[in-house]
Amino acid sequence: MRKIFLLLAIIALSLIKANAQSDTATKNFSISGVMGVSYEYYGLDRKPVGWTGFTPRKPWNQFRFNFTPTMQFGKNFSIPINFNFSTKPTNFAGPYAGITKQNFTQFVTNPMNSFGINPKYKWAELQLGTQYLNYSELSTGDIGVFGAGFDLRPGTYYIKFFTGLSQQGINFFTGPPQTNGAYKRKNWMASIGKAKEGKYDLGFNFVKAKDDTSSVTTPPTLIKPQEGFTLSFKGKAFFKKGWYAGIEGAQSIYTKDLSLAKDTSKPSFKPFIEGHASTIKDYAAEFNSGKKTKNYDIGIKLKYIGAGFQTPGYPYLLPDRFDYTLNTRFNAWKDSTGNYKMNVVASVGKRINNVSNNTLKAQQFIGNLNWFTQFNEHFSLNVSFNNFGFQAPGGINPYGIKNVSNDLSINPTYTWKNDKVINLMSFNYNYSKYKERDVLTGLITNNNTNSFLLTYVPTFLQKNISPDFSLMYFQNKLPSFQLKLITFSAGVGTTFAKKKGNLRMQAQYNYSKTNSFKNNNNIIASANCDLKLSKKLNWTTFISTNQFKYGNEITPNNAKYLESNVRTGFQYRFGQ
């Protein structure tokens, strides 16, 4: 670890020196970016002594470093660097899995850390370190992988390849707390095709992932080693007057349990993947078409995901469904100056779950709306609606998992002003209706939520002060449960040191009550200070405290805790 810090310090000092000499240096070389260091302290005091009902949520002490320069050599060659890392292993396994002192591999692949270098010369890019690569919606694009690869784009052609680790091997640990563990997973991905910006894009994508069964000494008990391979073809075309069309088809071969024996009767795609007893094959497809203009868009989107389709690049993709939606955006109602006063973005459609009929088939309405109207210089209104969720196989047949939420939000805003102050008053009402099905009995539970938020923000034109106030009421109802929450918040901000510094303080009180239990009380206070020490050096400090006192809903009664958090750090910006 000390060697890494020393190397970064040498690079940083070199960059600062090069930046300071930029006036006399050659015009073909430049450096720009940010580097910084921060320290965070976390404290937790629980009473009565020995009560463990509330556990620590952060490491007690944590240092973080960020180093993101971009070196430009002439017009065609650049080296962007992205180093963000912490000193302690704070990933999902944490110190409980025995990672008290990380080795180099554990350090660079820790999800809390990010190390990336992407040298680029004209159409050739080398990708090193942690990369989040999106090839398409049915291949890869949802996970970070630490490794090496390239992105080549000679003319209208492109060739991409990357390989590396998406997760380290973690041993099963009985606890406390228990750690389920994980197998080391190696990833490969490639893409080849032909594209011209604004005209077309045609290509093939290949994605593979495989767990290493020898990467752990104490195997996970609830997780099986897996292997998957996905092949997809994508095509996009753009026509005159804003018309467009796109399509993607994919096939996946996925092994649910690598520990089972190989089986030649199962699907395979040699030499990339061989069939095992738990190997399945399935398909997915997507199509979209429409028209985009300056003042309106309209289009359709169809998506089918087979029951056995699973791609390593999107591990949480919901299978066994068919979606179709109509999407639109338009501007309307011009004012006297020709500017539009109304903007609407909306989509409507249907999702058919459990298409394979392995559980109770269900249909779900899909809707999304955001409607903004500026009636005049004082009054505006924003209305939004979202319907989201999923239904999937699970539990005892014929019942499957059902989680669907309908959210409606109404937000009017009114402003008025005089020579001394500009006033903004905003009201927000949100209604949420959430339905969940018990996979054992089939019973559906309604979970309804209402919330009201009133906000007032005065902006003083002749004073160096910026206050704000808000009041919220929140109510959540279940058949045998009810939660009420009232929150009052007030904040104030100001500048100091000839406007080189910004100070903001916030205080919040929360009153919460569940069923007939005695109410809980919560006080949160925070302060944030940002000071510009020089043209390129900033010092930021954040302090917060959170005191929570329970009523009689838990044992012991009237238990309480006090959380403290202090974060301070320096950021240096070099280059122009």
Short mmCIF file of all heavy atoms in Angstrom, two decimals, residues 296-343:
data_model
loop_
_atom_site.label_atom_id
_atom_site.label_comp_id
_atom_site.label_asym_id
_atom_site.label_seq_id
_atom_site.Cartn_x
_atom_site.Cartn_y
_atom_site.Cartn_z
N TYR A 296 -41.19 17.43 -31.19
CA TYR A 296 -41.91 16.24 -30.77
C TYR A 296 -41.15 14.99 -31.18
O TYR A 296 -40.40 14.97 -32.15
CB TYR A 296 -43.33 16.22 -31.35
CG TYR A 296 -43.39 15.84 -32.82
CD1 TYR A 296 -43.51 14.51 -33.22
CD2 TYR A 296 -43.35 16.82 -33.80
CE1 TYR A 296 -43.57 14.16 -34.56
CE2 TYR A 296 -43.42 16.48 -35.14
CZ TYR A 296 -43.52 15.15 -35.51
OH TYR A 296 -43.58 14.81 -36.84
N ASP A 297 -41.34 13.92 -30.38
CA ASP A 297 -40.84 12.58 -30.68
C ASP A 297 -42.01 11.61 -30.55
O ASP A 297 -42.89 11.80 -29.71
CB ASP A 297 -39.75 12.14 -29.70
CG ASP A 297 -38.55 13.07 -29.69
OD1 ASP A 297 -38.42 13.88 -30.62
OD2 ASP A 297 -37.75 12.98 -28.74
N ILE A 298 -41.97 10.56 -31.33
CA ILE A 298 -42.94 9.48 -31.18
C ILE A 298 -42.31 8.18 -31.66
O ILE A 298 -41.58 8.18 -32.66
CB ILE A 298 -44.26 9.77 -31.94
CG1 ILE A 298 -45.30 8.71 -31.58
CG2 ILE A 298 -44.01 9.85 -33.44
CD1 ILE A 298 -46.70 9.08 -32.04
N GLY A 299 -42.53 7.10 -30.91
CA GLY A 299 -41.90 5.85 -31.28
C GLY A 299 -42.50 4.68 -30.53
O GLY A 299 -43.23 4.84 -29.53
N ILE A 300 -42.20 3.48 -31.00
CA ILE A 300 -42.65 2.25 -30.35
C ILE A 300 -41.43 1.43 -29.95
O ILE A 300 -40.35 1.55 -30.56
CB ILE A 300 -43.56 1.41 -31.27
CG1 ILE A 300 -42.80 1.01 -32.54
CG2 ILE A 300 -44.84 2.14 -31.58
CD1 ILE A 300 -43.54 -0.01 -33.38
N LYS A 301 -41.60 0.60 -28.93
CA LYS A 301 -40.52 -0.28 -28.47
C LYS A 301 -41.11 -1.62 -28.06
O LYS A 301 -42.06 -1.67 -27.27
CB LYS A 301 -39.76 0.35 -27.31
CG LYS A 301 -38.53 -0.43 -26.90
CD LYS A 301 -37.71 0.32 -25.86
CE LYS A 301 -36.43 -0.41 -25.52
NZ LYS A 301 -35.61 0.32 -24.53
N LEU A 302 -40.55 -2.70 -28.59
CA LEU A 302 -40.97 -4.06 -28.26
C LEU A 302 -39.78 -4.80 -27.68
O LEU A 302 -38.65 -4.67 -28.18
CB LEU A 302 -41.46 -4.80 -29.51
CG LEU A 302 -42.49 -4.09 -30.40
CD1 LEU A 302 -42.77 -4.92 -31.63
CD2 LEU A 302 -43.77 -3.83 -29.62
N LYS A 303 -40.00 -5.57 -26.63
CA LYS A 303 -38.91 -6.34 -26.01
C LYS A 303 -39.44 -7.68 -25.54
O LYS A 303 -40.46 -7.75 -24.84
CB LYS A 303 -38.30 -5.58 -24.84
CG LYS A 303 -37.20 -6.36 -24.12
CD LYS A 303 -36.60 -5.58 -22.96
CE LYS A 303 -35.67 -4.50 -23.45
NZ LYS A 303 -34.93 -3.86 -22.35
N TYR A 304 -38.73 -8.75 -25.92
CA TYR A 304 -39.06 -10.10 -25.46
C TYR A 304 -37.83 -10.70 -24.79
O TYR A 304 -36.73 -10.69 -25.37
CB TYR A 304 -39.48 -11.00 -26.62
CG TYR A 304 -39.54 -12.47 -26.24
CD1 TYR A 304 -40.58 -12.97 -25.47
CD2 TYR A 304 -38.52 -13.34 -26.62
CE1 TYR A 304 -40.62 -14.30 -25.09
CE2 TYR A 304 -38.55 -14.68 -26.27
CZ TYR A 304 -39.59 -15.15 -25.50
OH TYR A 304 -39.63 -16.47 -25.12
N ILE A 305 -38.00 -11.21 -23.57
CA ILE A 305 -36.93 -11.87 -22.83
C ILE A 305 -37.42 -13.28 -22.48
O ILE A 305 -38.40 -13.43 -21.76
CB ILE A 305 -36.55 -11.12 -21.54
CG1 ILE A 305 -36.29 -9.64 -21.83
CG2 ILE A 305 -35.34 -11.77 -20.88
CD1 ILE A 305 -35.08 -9.37 -22.67
N GLY A 306 -36.74 -14.30 -23.01
CA GLY A 306 -37.14 -15.67 -22.75
C GLY A 306 -36.97 -16.07 -21.30
O GLY A 306 -36.20 -15.47 -20.56
N ALA A 307 -37.70 -17.12 -20.89
CA ALA A 307 -37.67 -17.55 -19.49
C ALA A 307 -36.27 -18.01 -19.07
O ALA A 307 -35.88 -17.85 -17.91
CB ALA A 307 -38.67 -18.68 -19.28
N GLY A 308 -35.49 -18.56 -20.00
CA GLY A 308 -34.15 -19.05 -19.66
C GLY A 308 -33.04 -18.14 -20.11
O GLY A 308 -31.86 -18.50 -19.99
N PHE A 309 -33.40 -16.95 -20.63
CA PHE A 309 -32.36 -16.04 -21.12
C PHE A 309 -31.65 -15.35 -19.95
O PHE A 309 -32.29 -14.80 -19.06
CB PHE A 309 -32.96 -14.98 -22.03
CG PHE A 309 -31.94 -14.05 -22.63
CD1 PHE A 309 -31.25 -14.41 -23.78
CD2 PHE A 309 -31.65 -12.84 -22.03
CE1 PHE A 309 -30.30 -13.56 -24.34
CE2 PHE A 309 -30.71 -11.99 -22.57
CZ PHE A 309 -30.03 -12.35 -23.73
N GLN A 310 -30.34 -15.39 -19.97
CA GLN A 310 -29.55 -14.75 -18.92
C GLN A 310 -28.20 -14.36 -19.51
O GLN A 310 -27.49 -15.20 -20.06
CB GLN A 310 -29.36 -15.68 -17.72
CG GLN A 310 -28.73 -15.01 -16.51
CD GLN A 310 -28.81 -15.88 -15.27
OE1 GLN A 310 -29.50 -16.89 -15.23
NE2 GLN A 310 -28.09 -15.49 -14.23
N THR A 311 -27.86 -13.09 -19.43
CA THR A 311 -26.59 -12.62 -19.98
C THR A 311 -25.68 -12.13 -18.86
O THR A 311 -26.15 -11.47 -17.92
CB THR A 311 -26.81 -11.49 -21.01
OG1 THR A 311 -25.55 -10.99 -21.45
CG2 THR A 311 -27.62 -10.35 -20.42
N PRO A 312 -24.39 -12.46 -18.90
CA PRO A 312 -23.47 -12.05 -17.83
C PRO A 312 -23.35 -10.54 -17.67
O PRO A 312 -23.03 -10.06 -16.59
CB PRO A 312 -22.14 -12.67 -18.27
CG PRO A 312 -22.50 -13.78 -19.21
CD PRO A 312 -23.73 -13.33 -19.89
N GLY A 313 -23.63 -9.79 -18.74
CA GLY A 313 -23.47 -8.35 -18.67
C GLY A 313 -24.59 -7.63 -17.95
O GLY A 313 -24.44 -6.47 -17.57
N TYR A 314 -25.75 -8.29 -17.76
CA TYR A 314 -26.88 -7.74 -17.03
C TYR A 314 -27.39 -8.81 -16.07
O TYR A 314 -28.39 -9.49 -16.35
CB TYR A 314 -27.99 -7.29 -17.98
CG TYR A 314 -27.63 -6.12 -18.85
CD1 TYR A 314 -27.13 -6.33 -20.13
CD2 TYR A 314 -27.78 -4.82 -18.40
CE1 TYR A 314 -26.79 -5.26 -20.95
CE2 TYR A 314 -27.45 -3.74 -19.21
CZ TYR A 314 -26.95 -3.97 -20.48
OH TYR A 314 -26.61 -2.90 -21.28
N PRO A 315 -26.73 -9.02 -14.93
CA PRO A 315 -27.07 -10.14 -14.05
C PRO A 315 -28.46 -10.05 -13.42
O PRO A 315 -28.98 -11.05 -12.95
CB PRO A 315 -25.98 -10.09 -12.98
CG PRO A 315 -25.46 -8.69 -13.01
CD PRO A 315 -25.59 -8.23 -14.43
N TYR A 316 -29.08 -8.85 -13.40
CA TYR A 316 -30.39 -8.70 -12.76
C TYR A 316 -31.50 -8.45 -13.78
O TYR A 316 -32.56 -7.94 -13.43
CB TYR A 316 -30.34 -7.57 -11.74
CG TYR A 316 -29.25 -7.76 -10.71
CD1 TYR A 316 -28.11 -6.97 -10.72
CD2 TYR A 316 -29.35 -8.77 -9.75
CE1 TYR A 316 -27.09 -7.17 -9.79
CE2 TYR A 316 -28.35 -8.97 -8.83
CZ TYR A 316 -27.22 -8.16 -8.85
OH TYR A 316 -26.22 -8.37 -7.94
N LEU A 317 -31.28 -8.83 -15.04
CA LEU A 317 -32.29 -8.67 -16.07
C LEU A 317 -33.48 -9.60 -15.79
O LEU A 317 -33.31 -10.80 -15.59
CB LEU A 317 -31.68 -8.99 -17.43
CG LEU A 317 -32.57 -8.77 -18.65
CD1 LEU A 317 -32.82 -7.28 -18.85
CD2 LEU A 317 -31.90 -9.36 -19.90
N LEU A 318 -34.69 -9.04 -15.76
CA LEU A 318 -35.89 -9.82 -15.48
C LEU A 318 -36.27 -10.64 -16.70
O LEU A 318 -36.56 -10.09 -17.77
CB LEU A 318 -37.05 -8.89 -15.09
CG LEU A 318 -38.39 -9.57 -14.81
CD1 LEU A 318 -38.30 -10.45 -13.58
CD2 LEU A 318 -39.49 -8.52 -14.65
N PRO A 319 -36.30 -12.00 -16.60
CA PRO A 319 -36.62 -12.84 -17.76
C PRO A 319 -38.12 -13.11 -17.89
O PRO A 319 -38.94 -12.63 -17.11
CB PRO A 319 -35.86 -14.13 -17.44
CG PRO A 319 -35.93 -14.21 -15.94
CD PRO A 319 -35.90 -12.78 -15.43
N ASP A 320 -38.46 -13.89 -18.92
CA ASP A 320 -39.80 -14.43 -19.12
C ASP A 320 -40.86 -13.33 -19.20
O ASP A 320 -41.84 -13.32 -18.46
CB ASP A 320 -40.14 -15.42 -18.00
CG ASP A 320 -41.27 -16.37 -18.40
OD1 ASP A 320 -41.61 -16.39 -19.59
OD2 ASP A 320 -41.79 -17.08 -17.52
N ARG A 321 -40.67 -12.40 -20.14
CA ARG A 321 -41.63 -11.30 -20.27
C ARG A 321 -41.64 -10.76 -21.70
O ARG A 321 -40.69 -10.93 -22.46
CB ARG A 321 -41.30 -10.17 -19.29
CG ARG A 321 -40.13 -9.30 -19.69
CD ARG A 321 -39.92 -8.20 -18.66
NE ARG A 321 -39.15 -7.09 -19.15
CZ ARG A 321 -37.85 -6.94 -19.01
NH1 ARG A 321 -37.16 -7.88 -18.37
NH2 ARG A 321 -37.23 -5.88 -19.48
N PHE A 322 -42.74 -10.09 -22.03
CA PHE A 322 -42.87 -9.39 -23.29
C PHE A 322 -43.41 -8.00 -23.00
O PHE A 322 -44.47 -7.85 -22.39
CB PHE A 322 -43.80 -10.15 -24.25
CG PHE A 322 -44.05 -9.42 -25.53
CD1 PHE A 322 -43.02 -9.18 -26.42
CD2 PHE A 322 -45.32 -8.96 -25.85
CE1 PHE A 322 -43.24 -8.50 -27.61
CE2 PHE A 322 -45.55 -8.28 -27.03
CZ PHE A 322 -44.51 -8.05 -27.92
N ASP A 323 -42.67 -6.95 -23.41
CA ASP A 323 -43.07 -5.56 -23.20
C ASP A 323 -43.34 -4.90 -24.54
O ASP A 323 -42.59 -5.13 -25.51
CB ASP A 323 -41.98 -4.76 -22.49
CG ASP A 323 -41.66 -5.29 -21.10
OD1 ASP A 323 -42.38 -6.17 -20.62
OD2 ASP A 323 -40.67 -4.83 -20.50
N TYR A 324 -44.36 -4.06 -24.58
CA TYR A 324 -44.51 -3.18 -25.74
C TYR A 324 -45.02 -1.82 -25.24
O TYR A 324 -45.94 -1.73 -24.43
CB TYR A 324 -45.43 -3.77 -26.80
CG TYR A 324 -46.83 -4.12 -26.37
CD1 TYR A 324 -47.88 -3.20 -26.48
CD2 TYR A 324 -47.12 -5.39 -25.86
CE1 TYR A 324 -49.16 -3.54 -26.11
CE2 TYR A 324 -48.41 -5.73 -25.49
CZ TYR A 324 -49.42 -4.81 -25.61
OH TYR A 324 -50.71 -5.13 -25.24
N THR A 325 -44.38 -0.76 -25.72
CA THR A 325 -44.69 0.59 -25.25
C THR A 325 -44.71 1.57 -26.41
O THR A 325 -44.00 1.40 -27.42
CB THR A 325 -43.66 1.09 -24.22
OG1 THR A 325 -42.34 1.04 -24.78
CG2 THR A 325 -43.69 0.26 -22.95
N LEU A 326 -45.53 2.61 -26.27
CA LEU A 326 -45.57 3.75 -27.17
C LEU A 326 -44.99 4.94 -26.42
O LEU A 326 -45.46 5.28 -25.32
CB LEU A 326 -47.01 4.04 -27.61
CG LEU A 326 -47.23 5.31 -28.43
CD1 LEU A 326 -46.57 5.19 -29.80
CD2 LEU A 326 -48.73 5.61 -28.59
N ASN A 327 -43.97 5.57 -26.97
CA ASN A 327 -43.26 6.65 -26.30
C ASN A 327 -43.41 7.95 -27.10
O ASN A 327 -43.37 7.95 -28.34
CB ASN A 327 -41.77 6.31 -26.18
CG ASN A 327 -41.55 4.94 -25.57
OD1 ASN A 327 -41.84 4.72 -24.41
ND2 ASN A 327 -41.05 4.00 -26.37
N THR A 328 -43.57 9.06 -26.38
CA THR A 328 -43.73 10.33 -27.05
C THR A 328 -43.18 11.47 -26.20
O THR A 328 -43.04 11.35 -24.98
CB THR A 328 -45.22 10.61 -27.37
OG1 THR A 328 -45.32 11.81 -28.13
CG2 THR A 328 -46.03 10.77 -26.08
N ARG A 329 -42.86 12.56 -26.89
CA ARG A 329 -42.46 13.82 -26.25
C ARG A 329 -42.93 14.94 -27.17
O ARG A 329 -42.79 14.86 -28.40
CB ARG A 329 -40.94 13.90 -26.09
CG ARG A 329 -40.44 15.25 -25.56
CD ARG A 329 -38.96 15.43 -25.77
NE ARG A 329 -38.62 15.51 -27.18
CZ ARG A 329 -38.65 16.63 -27.91
NH1 ARG A 329 -39.07 17.77 -27.37
NH2 ARG A 329 -38.31 16.61 -29.18
N PHE A 330 -43.51 16.01 -26.58
CA PHE A 330 -43.91 17.13 -27.42
C PHE A 330 -43.93 18.43 -26.62
O PHE A 330 -44.10 18.42 -25.38
CB PHE A 330 -45.27 16.88 -28.08
CG PHE A 330 -46.41 16.72 -27.10
CD1 PHE A 330 -47.12 17.82 -26.63
CD2 PHE A 330 -46.79 15.45 -26.67
CE1 PHE A 330 -48.18 17.67 -25.76
CE2 PHE A 330 -47.85 15.29 -25.79
CZ PHE A 330 -48.54 16.40 -25.33
N ASN A 331 -43.75 19.53 -27.32
CA ASN A 331 -43.86 20.86 -26.76
C ASN A 331 -45.15 21.50 -27.27
O ASN A 331 -45.58 21.25 -28.41
CB ASN A 331 -42.68 21.74 -27.17
CG ASN A 331 -41.36 21.18 -26.68
OD1 ASN A 331 -41.28 20.68 -25.55
ND2 ASN A 331 -40.32 21.26 -27.49
N ALA A 332 -45.78 22.34 -26.45
CA ALA A 332 -47.05 22.96 -26.86
C ALA A 332 -47.21 24.30 -26.14
O ALA A 332 -46.47 24.62 -25.20
CB ALA A 332 -48.22 22.04 -26.55
N TRP A 333 -48.22 25.05 -26.60
CA TRP A 333 -48.66 26.31 -25.96
C TRP A 333 -47.53 27.34 -25.92
O TRP A 333 -46.89 27.53 -24.90
CB TRP A 333 -49.19 26.01 -24.57
CG TRP A 333 -49.91 27.18 -23.94
CD1 TRP A 333 -50.35 28.30 -24.57
CD2 TRP A 333 -50.26 27.33 -22.58
NE1 TRP A 333 -50.96 29.15 -23.69
CE2 TRP A 333 -50.92 28.57 -22.46
CE3 TRP A 333 -50.11 26.53 -21.45
CZ2 TRP A 333 -51.40 29.02 -21.25
CZ3 TRP A 333 -50.59 26.98 -20.24
CH2 TRP A 333 -51.23 28.22 -20.13
N LYS A 334 -47.35 28.04 -27.02
CA LYS A 334 -46.33 29.10 -27.09
C LYS A 334 -46.82 30.37 -26.41
O LYS A 334 -48.01 30.68 -26.40
CB LYS A 334 -46.00 29.41 -28.56
CG LYS A 334 -45.24 28.32 -29.29
CD LYS A 334 -44.90 28.80 -30.69
CE LYS A 334 -44.12 27.74 -31.44
NZ LYS A 334 -43.77 28.18 -32.82
N ASP A 335 -45.86 31.13 -25.85
CA ASP A 335 -46.19 32.43 -25.30
C ASP A 335 -45.98 33.50 -26.37
O ASP A 335 -45.70 33.20 -27.53
CB ASP A 335 -45.38 32.72 -24.03
CG ASP A 335 -43.88 32.72 -24.31
OD1 ASP A 335 -43.47 32.80 -25.48
OD2 ASP A 335 -43.09 32.64 -23.33
N SER A 336 -46.08 34.77 -25.98
CA SER A 336 -45.99 35.87 -26.94
C SER A 336 -44.61 36.00 -27.57
O SER A 336 -44.46 36.57 -28.64
CB SER A 336 -46.38 37.18 -26.27
OG SER A 336 -45.52 37.43 -25.15
N THR A 337 -43.58 35.45 -26.90
CA THR A 337 -42.22 35.53 -27.43
C THR A 337 -41.86 34.33 -28.29
O THR A 337 -40.75 34.26 -28.82
CB THR A 337 -41.21 35.64 -26.27
OG1 THR A 337 -41.26 34.44 -25.47
CG2 THR A 337 -41.51 36.85 -25.40
N GLY A 338 -42.78 33.38 -28.42
CA GLY A 338 -42.51 32.20 -29.24
C GLY A 338 -41.93 31.02 -28.49
O GLY A 338 -41.64 29.99 -29.09
N ASN A 339 -41.73 31.17 -27.17
CA ASN A 339 -41.21 30.07 -26.37
C ASN A 339 -42.34 29.15 -25.92
O ASN A 339 -43.45 29.60 -25.62
CB ASN A 339 -40.47 30.60 -25.15
CG ASN A 339 -39.23 31.39 -25.52
OD1 ASN A 339 -38.49 31.01 -26.42
ND2 ASN A 339 -39.01 32.51 -24.84
N TYR A 340 -42.05 27.84 -25.87
CA TYR A 340 -43.06 26.88 -25.44
C TYR A 340 -43.21 26.90 -23.92
O TYR A 340 -42.23 26.97 -23.17
CB TYR A 340 -42.68 25.47 -25.90
CG TYR A 340 -42.90 25.26 -27.38
CD1 TYR A 340 -41.85 25.36 -28.28
CD2 TYR A 340 -44.17 24.96 -27.87
CE1 TYR A 340 -42.06 25.17 -29.65
CE2 TYR A 340 -44.39 24.76 -29.22
CZ TYR A 340 -43.33 24.86 -30.11
OH TYR A 340 -43.54 24.67 -31.45
N LYS A 341 -44.48 26.83 -23.47
CA LYS A 341 -44.78 26.87 -22.05
C LYS A 341 -45.16 25.50 -21.49
O LYS A 341 -45.36 25.36 -20.29
CB LYS A 341 -45.93 27.85 -21.81
CG LYS A 341 -45.64 29.26 -22.30
CD LYS A 341 -46.85 30.16 -22.20
CE LYS A 341 -47.25 30.42 -20.77
NZ LYS A 341 -48.35 31.41 -20.68
N MET A 342 -45.27 24.51 -22.37
CA MET A 342 -45.67 23.18 -21.93
C MET A 342 -44.77 22.12 -22.56
O MET A 342 -44.47 22.18 -23.75
CB MET A 342 -47.12 22.89 -22.33
CG MET A 342 -47.65 21.54 -21.85
SD MET A 342 -49.34 21.22 -22.43
CE MET A 342 -50.23 22.54 -21.60
N ASN A 343 -44.33 21.17 -21.72
CA ASN A 343 -43.51 20.07 -22.20
C ASN A 343 -44.06 18.77 -21.61
O ASN A 343 -44.26 18.67 -20.40
CB ASN A 343 -42.05 20.26 -21.79
CG ASN A 343 -41.18 19.09 -22.18
OD1 ASN A 343 -40.92 18.20 -21.37
ND2 ASN A 343 -40.72 19.07 -23.41
#
